[in-house]
Amino acid sequence: MARDTRQRILDRALAMFNAQGEPTVTTNHIADELEISPGNLYYHFRNKDDIIEQLFARFEQRMDDALPGPEDRLPGLEDIWLRLHLVFECIWDYRFLYRDLLEILSRNRRLRIRFARILRRADQRAREVMRGLARAGVIRGSAAELDAASTNILVVATFWLDYAAVRGGKDEQAAIRDGIVQVLMLIAPFLRDAERVHLDTLTRAYRR
């Protein structure tokens, strides 16, 4: 029963953070939504930052699962599309982290260190994939160009929701779809002609 209550607190907190923004939600709000006492909530979590750290652990595991590519062959364009889809789905499900990223990290040093580790792993993985695409003959470019494109991909994916919000976008699901297309377009200049046609097919679904 205690495990169920703990899970319910995490699930409801995630939903409220995503819907209302983490800074506006207090532990009392979460307890009220669940119709439990604040004391019951504090039995499971010391404070709101404790809840955020537990949600971050779930996010970190999900992101680690999304990042790896094929191990027994060189990557292809479909692999990039799939990885981006999984990564942006994770960003969507934990979008409060990205929407309120700087505020959350500024007050929690442990999360700042852990998020930096995620970015380093993602950057390394993006570089490996871009080099793999080059070896497979899918893209062409110098090592410096491909490394720069990898960094650009990571920057766009990390801050896309903030960019969309500043532009005045209200539909975050549409923003996620636009983000996937934007990242794929960063790869487009490096693609060979046949793969550009394939890329156009992949991105068409997101433009509807």
Side-chain angles (χ1 to χ4, degrees):
M1 182 63 112
R3 183 182 178 87
D4 290 344
T5 301
R6 181 181 177 86
Q7 189 62 45
R8 286 176 59 225
I9 292 170
L10 289 173
D11 290 343
R12 185 59 59 90
L14 177 61
M16 293 177 72
F17 291 162
N18 282 339
Q20 302 171 37
E22 179 273 332
T24 68
V25 178
T26 68
T27 51
N28 284 344
H29 293 147
I30 298 169
D32 287 344
E33 282 287 319
L34 290 169
E35 298 183 345
I36 62 175
S37 69
N40 193 354
L41 185 147
Y42 290 129
Y43 173 79
H44 297 280
F45 300 99
R46 299 184 303 275
N47 48 43
K48 189 170 76 167
D49 276 351
D50 191 16
I51 294 174
I52 293 171
E53 287 193 29
Q54 295 302 314
L55 290 174
F56 190 92
R58 287 166 46 171
F59 157 79
E60 188 173 20
Q61 183 60 58
R62 177 97 170 265
M63 191 62 79
D64 282 344
D65 292 341
L67 288 174
E71 296 181 355
D72 56 347
R73 58 177 174 79
L74 292 172
L77 198 56
E78 290 278 356
D79 296 308
I80 302 300
W81 175 84
L82 176 59
R83 293 300 123 196
L84 283 175
H85 195 78
L86 293 174
V87 165
F88 271 92
E89 276 188 345
C90 182
I91 290 173
W92 169 254
D93 289 342
Y94 292 86
R95 57 195 176 276
F96 83 92
L97 285 171
Y98 286 82
R99 190 195 298 129
D100 304 311
L101 181 62
L102 295 181
E103 177 164 345
I104 292 171
L105 298 187
S106 69
R107 69 170 191 258
N108 192 315
R109 182 176 178 273
R110 288 190 300 272
L111 288 190
R112 190 162 64 248
I113 292 171
R114 290 169 67 183
F115 197 85
R117 282 202 298 262
I118 290 177
L119 290 181
R120 286 195 295 270
R121 289 198 299 271
D123 185 56
Q124 179 183 4
R125 187 59 198 151
R127 289 168 188 255
E128 290 171 355
V129 168
M130 291 293 280
R131 290 166 187 166
L133 288 173
R135 290 197 302 274
V138 176
I139 62 176
R140 53 190 166 194
S142 69
E145 289 171 335
L146 297 183
D147 284 349
S150 301
T151 299
N152 290 341
I153 287 169
L154 188 58
V155 170
V156 169
T158 302
F159 296 104
W160 183 258
L161 282 183
D162 280 343
Y163 171 75
V166 170
R167 286 187 61 192
K170 302 296 184 184
D171 186 341
E172 287 186 321
Q173 282 188 305
I176 291 292
R177 292 194 300 270
D178 291 344
I180 293 175
V181 172
Q182 190 68 26
V183 170
L184 288 171
M185 288 299 102
L186 291 173
I187 301 171
F190 302 99
L191 292 173
R192 298 178 184 274
D193 291 343
E195 296 297 341
R196 283 180 182 244
V197 175
H198 191 188
L199 177 66
D200 184 62
T201 301
L202 289 175
T203 58
R204 211 173 292 153
Y206 290 98
R207 287 174 168 152
R208 291 172 185 168

mmCIF file of all heavy atoms in Angstrom, residues 104-147:
data_model
loop_
_atom_site.group_PDB
_atom_site.id
_atom_site.type_symbol
_atom_site.label_atom_id
_atom_site.label_comp_id
_atom_site.label_asym_id
_atom_site.label_seq_id
_atom_site.Cartn_x
_atom_site.Cartn_y
_atom_site.Cartn_z
ATOM 1 N N ILE A 104 14.913 24.874 -12.075
ATOM 2 C CA ILE A 104 15.088 23.648 -11.295
ATOM 3 C C ILE A 104 16.562 23.370 -11.034
ATOM 4 O O ILE A 104 16.971 23.079 -9.914
ATOM 5 C CB ILE A 104 14.430 22.460 -12.022
ATOM 6 C CG1 ILE A 104 12.900 22.617 -12.043
ATOM 7 C CG2 ILE A 104 14.810 21.141 -11.352
ATOM 8 C CD1 ILE A 104 12.187 21.606 -12.913
ATOM 9 N N LEU A 105 17.383 23.497 -12.069
ATOM 10 C CA LEU A 105 18.801 23.187 -11.911
ATOM 11 C C LEU A 105 19.528 24.224 -11.066
ATOM 12 O O LEU A 105 20.505 23.900 -10.394
ATOM 13 C CB LEU A 105 19.472 23.073 -13.288
ATOM 14 C CG LEU A 105 18.951 21.964 -14.211
ATOM 15 C CD1 LEU A 105 19.819 21.875 -15.460
ATOM 16 C CD2 LEU A 105 18.901 20.613 -13.497
ATOM 17 N N SER A 106 19.048 25.465 -11.088
ATOM 18 C CA SER A 106 19.727 26.520 -10.324
ATOM 19 C C SER A 106 19.614 26.298 -8.823
ATOM 20 O O SER A 106 20.456 26.768 -8.058
ATOM 21 C CB SER A 106 19.158 27.894 -10.692
ATOM 22 O OG SER A 106 17.828 28.023 -10.218
ATOM 23 N N ARG A 107 18.589 25.595 -8.378
ATOM 24 C CA ARG A 107 18.397 25.399 -6.943
ATOM 25 C C ARG A 107 18.732 23.985 -6.472
ATOM 26 O O ARG A 107 18.618 23.680 -5.293
ATOM 27 C CB ARG A 107 16.957 25.748 -6.558
ATOM 28 C CG ARG A 107 15.906 24.805 -7.066
ATOM 29 C CD ARG A 107 14.552 25.121 -6.420
ATOM 30 N NE ARG A 107 13.589 24.094 -6.674
ATOM 31 C CZ ARG A 107 12.619 24.171 -7.580
ATOM 32 N NH1 ARG A 107 12.475 25.269 -8.320
ATOM 33 N NH2 ARG A 107 11.776 23.181 -7.764
ATOM 34 N N ASN A 108 19.140 23.114 -7.409
ATOM 35 C CA ASN A 108 19.437 21.737 -7.032
ATOM 36 C C ASN A 108 20.732 21.299 -7.705
ATOM 37 O O ASN A 108 20.748 20.944 -8.877
ATOM 38 C CB ASN A 108 18.278 20.816 -7.429
ATOM 39 C CG ASN A 108 18.390 19.434 -6.804
ATOM 40 O OD1 ASN A 108 19.460 18.839 -6.798
ATOM 41 N ND2 ASN A 108 17.295 18.926 -6.283
ATOM 42 N N ARG A 109 21.812 21.332 -6.921
ATOM 43 C CA ARG A 109 23.132 21.027 -7.477
ATOM 44 C C ARG A 109 23.219 19.576 -7.953
ATOM 45 O O ARG A 109 23.839 19.289 -8.972
ATOM 46 C CB ARG A 109 24.209 21.305 -6.418
ATOM 47 C CG ARG A 109 25.633 21.054 -6.912
ATOM 48 C CD ARG A 109 26.657 21.439 -5.857
ATOM 49 N NE ARG A 109 28.005 21.147 -6.321
ATOM 50 C CZ ARG A 109 28.590 19.959 -6.169
ATOM 51 N NH1 ARG A 109 27.935 18.969 -5.565
ATOM 52 N NH2 ARG A 109 29.815 19.747 -6.618
ATOM 53 N N ARG A 110 22.598 18.653 -7.218
ATOM 54 C CA ARG A 110 22.670 17.238 -7.617
ATOM 55 C C ARG A 110 22.028 17.019 -8.976
ATOM 56 O O ARG A 110 22.588 16.306 -9.825
ATOM 57 C CB ARG A 110 21.977 16.358 -6.570
ATOM 58 C CG ARG A 110 22.739 16.235 -5.265
ATOM 59 C CD ARG A 110 22.139 15.162 -4.374
ATOM 60 N NE ARG A 110 20.754 15.450 -4.048
ATOM 61 C CZ ARG A 110 20.379 16.196 -3.012
ATOM 62 N NH1 ARG A 110 21.307 16.748 -2.235
ATOM 63 N NH2 ARG A 110 19.105 16.403 -2.762
ATOM 64 N N LEU A 111 20.872 17.633 -9.206
ATOM 65 C CA LEU A 111 20.224 17.492 -10.509
ATOM 66 C C LEU A 111 21.039 18.165 -11.597
ATOM 67 O O LEU A 111 21.086 17.682 -12.736
ATOM 68 C CB LEU A 111 18.813 18.089 -10.469
ATOM 69 C CG LEU A 111 17.763 17.314 -9.682
ATOM 70 C CD1 LEU A 111 16.378 17.901 -9.948
ATOM 71 C CD2 LEU A 111 17.765 15.835 -10.012
ATOM 72 N N ARG A 112 21.683 19.283 -11.266
ATOM 73 C CA ARG A 112 22.516 19.971 -12.255
ATOM 74 C C ARG A 112 23.655 19.068 -12.722
ATOM 75 O O ARG A 112 23.947 18.977 -13.917
ATOM 76 C CB ARG A 112 23.064 21.267 -11.642
ATOM 77 C CG ARG A 112 23.738 22.176 -12.654
ATOM 78 C CD ARG A 112 23.861 23.598 -12.128
ATOM 79 N NE ARG A 112 24.725 23.690 -10.967
ATOM 80 C CZ ARG A 112 24.313 23.982 -9.741
ATOM 81 N NH1 ARG A 112 23.042 24.220 -9.497
ATOM 82 N NH2 ARG A 112 25.169 24.065 -8.733
ATOM 83 N N ILE A 113 24.265 18.364 -11.779
ATOM 84 C CA ILE A 113 25.344 17.438 -12.129
ATOM 85 C C ILE A 113 24.817 16.268 -12.956
ATOM 86 O O ILE A 113 25.418 15.860 -13.960
ATOM 87 C CB ILE A 113 26.034 16.931 -10.841
ATOM 88 C CG1 ILE A 113 26.776 18.083 -10.165
ATOM 89 C CG2 ILE A 113 26.995 15.785 -11.149
ATOM 90 C CD1 ILE A 113 27.306 17.746 -8.778
ATOM 91 N N ARG A 114 23.675 15.734 -12.567
ATOM 92 C CA ARG A 114 23.108 14.585 -13.284
ATOM 93 C C ARG A 114 22.641 14.974 -14.678
ATOM 94 O O ARG A 114 22.806 14.211 -15.632
ATOM 95 C CB ARG A 114 21.955 13.976 -12.468
ATOM 96 C CG ARG A 114 22.440 13.287 -11.206
ATOM 97 C CD ARG A 114 21.308 12.935 -10.272
ATOM 98 N NE ARG A 114 20.430 11.919 -10.831
ATOM 99 C CZ ARG A 114 19.338 11.491 -10.203
ATOM 100 N NH1 ARG A 114 19.006 11.985 -9.021
ATOM 101 N NH2 ARG A 114 18.583 10.557 -10.753
ATOM 102 N N PHE A 115 22.050 16.154 -14.803
ATOM 103 C CA PHE A 115 21.606 16.578 -16.128
ATOM 104 C C PHE A 115 22.807 16.828 -17.039
ATOM 105 O O PHE A 115 22.763 16.515 -18.233
ATOM 106 C CB PHE A 115 20.739 17.838 -16.035
ATOM 107 C CG PHE A 115 19.923 18.088 -17.268
ATOM 108 C CD1 PHE A 115 18.690 17.481 -17.430
ATOM 109 C CD2 PHE A 115 20.384 18.914 -18.285
ATOM 110 C CE1 PHE A 115 17.934 17.691 -18.570
ATOM 111 C CE2 PHE A 115 19.640 19.123 -19.426
ATOM 112 C CZ PHE A 115 18.407 18.507 -19.573
ATOM 113 N N ALA A 116 23.880 17.367 -16.477
ATOM 114 C CA ALA A 116 25.102 17.568 -17.261
ATOM 115 C C ALA A 116 25.634 16.232 -17.769
ATOM 116 O O ALA A 116 26.120 16.134 -18.907
ATOM 117 C CB ALA A 116 26.156 18.287 -16.430
ATOM 118 N N ARG A 117 25.527 15.183 -16.935
ATOM 119 C CA ARG A 117 25.971 13.855 -17.368
ATOM 120 C C ARG A 117 25.114 13.346 -18.517
ATOM 121 O O ARG A 117 25.626 12.739 -19.466
ATOM 122 C CB ARG A 117 25.925 12.874 -16.199
ATOM 123 C CG ARG A 117 27.078 12.997 -15.220
ATOM 124 C CD ARG A 117 27.276 11.716 -14.445
ATOM 125 N NE ARG A 117 26.117 11.375 -13.644
ATOM 126 C CZ ARG A 117 25.989 11.644 -12.339
ATOM 127 N NH1 ARG A 117 26.968 12.272 -11.699
ATOM 128 N NH2 ARG A 117 24.911 11.298 -11.691
ATOM 129 N N ILE A 118 23.798 13.590 -18.442
ATOM 130 C CA ILE A 118 22.914 13.177 -19.535
ATOM 131 C C ILE A 118 23.309 13.875 -20.830
ATOM 132 O O ILE A 118 23.382 13.255 -21.896
ATOM 133 C CB ILE A 118 21.436 13.483 -19.190
ATOM 134 C CG1 ILE A 118 20.944 12.570 -18.077
ATOM 135 C CG2 ILE A 118 20.547 13.331 -20.428
ATOM 136 C CD1 ILE A 118 19.532 12.860 -17.628
ATOM 137 N N LEU A 119 23.587 15.175 -20.744
ATOM 138 C CA LEU A 119 23.974 15.923 -21.937
ATOM 139 C C LEU A 119 25.286 15.401 -22.515
ATOM 140 O O LEU A 119 25.431 15.297 -23.737
ATOM 141 C CB LEU A 119 24.089 17.411 -21.614
ATOM 142 C CG LEU A 119 22.782 18.156 -21.322
ATOM 143 C CD1 LEU A 119 23.068 19.622 -21.047
ATOM 144 C CD2 LEU A 119 21.795 18.014 -22.476
ATOM 145 N N ARG A 120 26.231 15.065 -21.646
ATOM 146 C CA ARG A 120 27.502 14.535 -22.142
ATOM 147 C C ARG A 120 27.303 13.192 -22.840
ATOM 148 O O ARG A 120 27.893 12.932 -23.900
ATOM 149 C CB ARG A 120 28.510 14.401 -21.000
ATOM 150 C CG ARG A 120 29.088 15.734 -20.528
ATOM 151 C CD ARG A 120 30.318 15.534 -19.663
ATOM 152 N NE ARG A 120 30.006 14.855 -18.411
ATOM 153 C CZ ARG A 120 29.660 15.472 -17.293
ATOM 154 N NH1 ARG A 120 29.565 16.799 -17.266
ATOM 155 N NH2 ARG A 120 29.405 14.788 -16.190
ATOM 156 N N ARG A 121 26.469 12.330 -22.246
ATOM 157 C CA ARG A 121 26.196 11.030 -22.882
ATOM 158 C C ARG A 121 25.470 11.223 -24.205
ATOM 159 O O ARG A 121 25.765 10.552 -25.199
ATOM 160 C CB ARG A 121 25.361 10.146 -21.952
ATOM 161 C CG ARG A 121 26.118 9.624 -20.748
ATOM 162 C CD ARG A 121 25.418 8.430 -20.123
ATOM 163 N NE ARG A 121 24.093 8.726 -19.639
ATOM 164 C CZ ARG A 121 23.819 9.173 -18.414
ATOM 165 N NH1 ARG A 121 24.810 9.414 -17.559
ATOM 166 N NH2 ARG A 121 22.578 9.384 -18.033
ATOM 167 N N ALA A 122 24.505 12.141 -24.220
ATOM 168 C CA ALA A 122 23.757 12.395 -25.453
ATOM 169 C C ALA A 122 24.668 12.969 -26.535
ATOM 170 O O ALA A 122 24.559 12.599 -27.713
ATOM 171 C CB ALA A 122 22.592 13.348 -25.174
ATOM 172 N N ASP A 123 25.574 13.859 -26.142
ATOM 173 C CA ASP A 123 26.503 14.443 -27.110
ATOM 174 C C ASP A 123 27.424 13.375 -27.680
ATOM 175 O O ASP A 123 27.649 13.312 -28.896
ATOM 176 C CB ASP A 123 27.321 15.540 -26.433
ATOM 177 C CG ASP A 123 28.219 16.278 -27.414
ATOM 178 O OD1 ASP A 123 27.699 16.814 -28.407
ATOM 179 O OD2 ASP A 123 29.440 16.319 -27.193
ATOM 180 N N GLN A 124 27.940 12.512 -26.816
ATOM 181 C CA GLN A 124 28.805 11.435 -27.284
ATOM 182 C C GLN A 124 28.053 10.501 -28.226
ATOM 183 O O GLN A 124 28.576 10.087 -29.269
ATOM 184 C CB GLN A 124 29.350 10.641 -26.093
ATOM 185 C CG GLN A 124 30.247 9.471 -26.494
ATOM 186 C CD GLN A 124 30.705 8.659 -25.291
ATOM 187 O OE1 GLN A 124 30.298 8.913 -24.159
ATOM 188 N NE2 GLN A 124 31.542 7.677 -25.537
ATOM 189 N N ARG A 125 26.801 10.183 -27.843
ATOM 190 C CA ARG A 125 26.010 9.271 -28.684
ATOM 191 C C ARG A 125 25.699 9.905 -30.029
ATOM 192 O O ARG A 125 25.753 9.241 -31.070
ATOM 193 C CB ARG A 125 24.714 8.903 -27.957
ATOM 194 C CG ARG A 125 23.910 7.837 -28.653
ATOM 195 C CD ARG A 125 24.714 6.566 -28.807
ATOM 196 N NE ARG A 125 24.132 5.695 -29.815
ATOM 197 C CZ ARG A 125 24.825 4.840 -30.541
ATOM 198 N NH1 ARG A 125 26.124 4.744 -30.373
ATOM 199 N NH2 ARG A 125 24.229 4.076 -31.423
ATOM 200 N N ALA A 126 25.374 11.198 -30.043
ATOM 201 C CA ALA A 126 25.073 11.879 -31.309
ATOM 202 C C ALA A 126 26.291 11.873 -32.230
ATOM 203 O O ALA A 126 26.175 11.650 -33.436
ATOM 204 C CB ALA A 126 24.624 13.314 -31.035
ATOM 205 N N ARG A 127 27.471 12.099 -31.664
ATOM 206 C CA ARG A 127 28.694 12.084 -32.471
ATOM 207 C C ARG A 127 28.956 10.690 -33.033
ATOM 208 O O ARG A 127 29.348 10.540 -34.199
ATOM 209 C CB ARG A 127 29.886 12.554 -31.623
ATOM 210 C CG ARG A 127 29.848 14.037 -31.308
ATOM 211 C CD ARG A 127 30.874 14.414 -30.237
ATOM 212 N NE ARG A 127 30.691 15.803 -29.822
ATOM 213 C CZ ARG A 127 31.481 16.808 -30.178
ATOM 214 N NH1 ARG A 127 32.526 16.581 -30.961
ATOM 215 N NH2 ARG A 127 31.245 18.021 -29.764
ATOM 216 N N GLU A 128 28.742 9.666 -32.205
ATOM 217 C CA GLU A 128 28.943 8.287 -32.676
ATOM 218 C C GLU A 128 27.991 7.953 -33.819
ATOM 219 O O GLU A 128 28.382 7.322 -34.807
ATOM 220 C CB GLU A 128 28.740 7.314 -31.520
ATOM 221 C CG GLU A 128 29.828 7.358 -30.461
ATOM 222 C CD GLU A 128 29.457 6.534 -29.241
ATOM 223 O OE1 GLU A 128 28.314 6.018 -29.192
ATOM 224 O OE2 GLU A 128 30.296 6.410 -28.330
ATOM 225 N N VAL A 129 26.738 8.389 -33.690
ATOM 226 C CA VAL A 129 25.748 8.101 -34.722
ATOM 227 C C VAL A 129 26.089 8.830 -36.018
ATOM 228 O O VAL A 129 26.013 8.248 -37.107
ATOM 229 C CB VAL A 129 24.330 8.470 -34.233
ATOM 230 C CG1 VAL A 129 23.338 8.444 -35.392
ATOM 231 C CG2 VAL A 129 23.883 7.517 -33.137
ATOM 232 N N MET A 130 26.462 10.097 -35.911
ATOM 233 C CA MET A 130 26.819 10.855 -37.115
ATOM 234 C C MET A 130 28.021 10.228 -37.817
ATOM 235 O O MET A 130 28.046 10.111 -39.053
ATOM 236 C CB MET A 130 27.111 12.309 -36.754
ATOM 237 C CG MET A 130 25.887 13.099 -36.313
ATOM 238 S SD MET A 130 24.672 13.364 -37.629
ATOM 239 C CE MET A 130 25.429 14.735 -38.515
ATOM 240 N N ARG A 131 29.005 9.786 -37.047
ATOM 241 C CA ARG A 131 30.167 9.140 -37.659
ATOM 242 C C ARG A 131 29.778 7.804 -38.269
ATOM 243 O O ARG A 131 30.293 7.402 -39.317
ATOM 244 C CB ARG A 131 31.268 8.968 -36.613
ATOM 245 C CG ARG A 131 31.908 10.288 -36.194
ATOM 246 C CD ARG A 131 32.741 10.141 -34.941
ATOM 247 N NE ARG A 131 33.214 11.440 -34.467
ATOM 248 C CZ ARG A 131 33.727 11.653 -33.272
ATOM 249 N NH1 ARG A 131 33.841 10.658 -32.413
ATOM 250 N NH2 ARG A 131 34.131 12.868 -32.922
ATOM 251 N N GLY A 132 28.854 7.091 -37.611
ATOM 252 C CA GLY A 132 28.365 5.835 -38.153
ATOM 253 C C GLY A 132 27.618 6.042 -39.462
ATOM 254 O O GLY A 132 27.763 5.254 -40.407
ATOM 255 N N LEU A 133 26.813 7.109 -39.526
ATOM 256 C CA LEU A 133 26.114 7.423 -40.773
ATOM 257 C C LEU A 133 27.103 7.732 -41.890
ATOM 258 O O LEU A 133 26.887 7.358 -43.050
ATOM 259 C CB LEU A 133 25.183 8.619 -40.560
ATOM 260 C CG LEU A 133 23.925 8.383 -39.716
ATOM 261 C CD1 LEU A 133 23.213 9.700 -39.458
ATOM 262 C CD2 LEU A 133 22.982 7.400 -40.395
ATOM 263 N N ALA A 134 28.198 8.403 -41.533
ATOM 264 C CA ALA A 134 29.222 8.711 -42.540
ATOM 265 C C ALA A 134 29.885 7.433 -43.031
ATOM 266 O O ALA A 134 30.113 7.252 -44.244
ATOM 267 C CB ALA A 134 30.249 9.669 -41.955
ATOM 268 N N ARG A 135 30.216 6.523 -42.116
ATOM 269 C CA ARG A 135 30.838 5.258 -42.527
ATOM 270 C C ARG A 135 29.892 4.422 -43.376
ATOM 271 O O ARG A 135 30.331 3.686 -44.264
ATOM 272 C CB ARG A 135 31.269 4.456 -41.291
ATOM 273 C CG ARG A 135 32.441 5.065 -40.543
ATOM 274 C CD ARG A 135 33.078 4.050 -39.611
ATOM 275 N NE ARG A 135 32.139 3.527 -38.639
ATOM 276 C CZ ARG A 135 31.864 4.094 -37.466
ATOM 277 N NH1 ARG A 135 32.482 5.238 -37.125
ATOM 278 N NH2 ARG A 135 31.008 3.560 -36.631
ATOM 279 N N ALA A 136 28.576 4.548 -43.094
ATOM 280 C CA ALA A 136 27.582 3.800 -43.872
ATOM 281 C C ALA A 136 27.305 4.441 -45.222
ATOM 282 O O ALA A 136 26.573 3.865 -46.038
ATOM 283 C CB ALA A 136 26.281 3.692 -43.074
ATOM 284 N N GLY A 137 27.854 5.623 -45.462
ATOM 285 C CA GLY A 137 27.631 6.299 -46.739
ATOM 286 C C GLY A 137 26.318 7.042 -46.835
ATOM 287 O O GLY A 137 25.919 7.473 -47.916
ATOM 288 N N VAL A 138 25.638 7.215 -45.685
ATOM 289 C CA VAL A 138 24.359 7.926 -45.675
ATOM 290 C C VAL A 138 24.591 9.433 -45.747
ATOM 291 O O VAL A 138 23.839 10.163 -46.396
ATOM 292 C CB VAL A 138 23.553 7.562 -44.412
ATOM 293 C CG1 VAL A 138 22.260 8.382 -44.331
ATOM 294 C CG2 VAL A 138 23.233 6.070 -44.405
ATOM 295 N N ILE A 139 25.614 9.908 -45.048
ATOM 296 C CA ILE A 139 25.942 11.327 -45.043
ATOM 297 C C ILE A 139 27.411 11.507 -45.400
ATOM 298 O O ILE A 139 28.193 10.552 -45.384
ATOM 299 C CB ILE A 139 25.663 11.984 -43.662
ATOM 300 C CG1 ILE A 139 26.538 11.345 -42.579
ATOM 301 C CG2 ILE A 139 24.191 11.892 -43.304
ATOM 302 C CD1 ILE A 139 26.399 11.990 -41.215
ATOM 303 N N ARG A 140 27.768 12.736 -45.724
ATOM 304 C CA ARG A 140 29.173 13.057 -45.966
ATOM 305 C C ARG A 140 29.469 14.423 -45.379
ATOM 306 O O ARG A 140 28.640 15.330 -45.416
ATOM 307 C CB ARG A 140 29.495 13.027 -47.464
ATOM 308 C CG ARG A 140 28.578 13.868 -48.301
ATOM 309 C CD ARG A 140 28.793 13.589 -49.772
ATOM 310 N NE ARG A 140 27.714 14.130 -50.590
ATOM 311 C CZ ARG A 140 27.512 13.810 -51.853
ATOM 312 N NH1 ARG A 140 28.321 12.958 -52.453
ATOM 313 N NH2 ARG A 140 26.518 14.329 -52.532
ATOM 314 N N GLY A 141 30.655 14.549 -44.830
ATOM 315 C CA GLY A 141 31.073 15.800 -44.206
ATOM 316 C C GLY A 141 32.358 15.563 -43.447
ATOM 317 O O GLY A 141 32.712 14.417 -43.135
ATOM 318 N N SER A 142 33.051 16.638 -43.147
ATOM 319 C CA SER A 142 34.287 16.512 -42.383
ATOM 320 C C SER A 142 33.962 16.151 -40.934
ATOM 321 O O SER A 142 32.826 16.327 -40.473
ATOM 322 C CB SER A 142 35.077 17.818 -42.432
ATOM 323 O OG SER A 142 34.393 18.821 -41.691
ATOM 324 N N ALA A 143 34.960 15.663 -40.206
ATOM 325 C CA ALA A 143 34.764 15.315 -38.800
ATOM 326 C C ALA A 143 34.303 16.530 -38.001
ATOM 327 O O ALA A 143 33.411 16.428 -37.147
ATOM 328 C CB ALA A 143 36.060 14.742 -38.219
ATOM 329 N N ALA A 144 34.904 17.692 -38.283
ATOM 330 C CA ALA A 144 34.518 18.908 -37.565
ATOM 331 C C ALA A 144 33.078 19.296 -37.867
ATOM 332 O O ALA A 144 32.334 19.716 -36.971
ATOM 333 C CB ALA A 144 35.461 20.056 -37.937
ATOM 334 N N GLU A 145 32.669 19.163 -39.120
ATOM 335 C CA GLU A 145 31.293 19.499 -39.498
ATOM 336 C C GLU A 145 30.297 18.570 -38.822
ATOM 337 O O GLU A 145 29.246 19.018 -38.321
ATOM 338 C CB GLU A 145 31.134 19.421 -41.016
ATOM 339 C CG GLU A 145 31.833 20.533 -41.777
ATOM 340 C CD GLU A 145 31.824 20.296 -43.273
ATOM 341 O OE1 GLU A 145 31.719 19.118 -43.713
ATOM 342 O OE2 GLU A 145 31.932 21.277 -44.012
ATOM 343 N N LEU A 146 30.597 17.291 -38.783
ATOM 344 C CA LEU A 146 29.679 16.325 -38.176
ATOM 345 C C LEU A 146 29.605 16.507 -36.664
ATOM 346 O O LEU A 146 28.525 16.386 -36.075
ATOM 347 C CB LEU A 146 30.114 14.899 -38.522
ATOM 348 C CG LEU A 146 30.100 14.535 -40.015
ATOM 349 C CD1 LEU A 146 30.474 13.083 -40.210
ATOM 350 C CD2 LEU A 146 28.730 14.822 -40.633
ATOM 351 N N ASP A 147 30.746 16.826 -36.028
ATOM 352 C CA ASP A 147 30.723 17.083 -34.589
ATOM 353 C C ASP A 147 29.910 18.336 -34.272
ATOM 354 O O ASP A 147 29.162 18.373 -33.285
ATOM 355 C CB ASP A 147 32.151 17.238 -34.063
ATOM 356 C CG ASP A 147 32.883 15.902 -33.936
ATOM 357 O OD1 ASP A 147 32.216 14.852 -34.060
ATOM 358 O OD2 ASP A 147 34.110 15.917 -33.731
#
